[in-house]
Amino acid sequence: MPFDSVTALLTGFLTGFSLILAIGAQNAFVLRQGLRGEHVFAICLTCASADAALIALGVTSFSIVAEILPGVEVWLKWFGAAFLVWYGATRLWAAFKGDETGMKPAEDEHASLKRAILTCLAFTILNPHVYLDTVVLVGSIASQFGGDRAYFGLGAVAASFVFFFSLGYGATLLRPVFAKPAAWRVLDTVVGLTMLVIAAMLLTSG
């Protein structure tokens, strides 16, 4: 592989990894699913695949998407904020009640694979920041690599897969801590507040 292609690949990986490293709504959901040991592979694959599709869109069609996004972003902002507020409120309510179903996923009749995947997709699709990061930012940087932009995109996609699967399965290391009900209440409180803060930032952003 030519040196320029390797450079584009590594730059794409580091760029993609840095963009998803911050704790956000999607990451918090993956972490919680990993701690519960519930549909971990499917959730990680869904998040990484969704990111891969958006990155591919940005790398191949950045100039077109840049013209379309402004009109779509307003609607995504409101729908995304509403979803984040709803999910954040449910987690805070669970923490207030001391809901222990999170410790026993096998006994939770409502924790279906379909519901988990739809929730995961909602965190991705309804978040305009995801489009700004994966499509606009990654797409604009990729365009600077000319003929090697595909390698840049491949590196960014690889970063998404490495990050989400590491987060989902790495969370199992913390399971002994979350054997206690109090730990789940703390986690649900943190997740709930995180969702509400992200929703507020989303609504107040330019």
Side-chain angles (χ1 to χ4, degrees), residues 80-106:
F83 175 76
L84 289 172
V85 169
W86 171 80
Y87 189 83
T90 62
R91 297 302 357 127
L92 290 176
W93 179 245
F96 177 75
K97 291 192 305 177
D99 186 6
E100 298 183 9
T101 57
M103 294 177 289
K104 305 173 184 177

Side-chain angles (χ1 to χ4, degrees), residues 1-33:
M1 183 182 297
F3 178 76
D4 290 343
S5 299
V6 174
T7 300
L9 185 69
L10 292 177
T11 304
F13 184 89
L14 293 175
T15 301
F17 201 86
S18 63
L19 288 175
I20 59 178
L21 187 60
I23 296 178
Q26 188 184 50
N27 296 352
F29 179 72
V30 174
L31 176 62
R32 191 172 191 279
Q33 291 298 114

Side-chain angles (χ1 to χ4, degrees), residues 101-124:
T101 57
M103 294 177 289
K104 305 173 184 177
E107 299 177 11
D108 187 356
E109 297 178 357
H110 301 291
S112 66
L113 174 62
K114 180 180 178 180
R115 178 181 177 183
I117 290 179
L118 289 177
T119 302
C120 181
L121 287 174
F123 280 127
T124 303

Side-chain angles (χ1 to χ4, degrees), residues 173-203:
L173 299 175
L174 297 175
R175 282 184 187 174
V177 177
F178 286 87
K180 301 178 180 179
W184 277 101
R185 297 185 71 173
V186 171
L187 177 66
D188 279 334
T189 300
V190 172
V191 170
L193 292 176
T194 298
M195 301 300 176
L196 295 182
V197 170
I198 295 175
M201 293 175 61
L202 195 59
L203 293 175

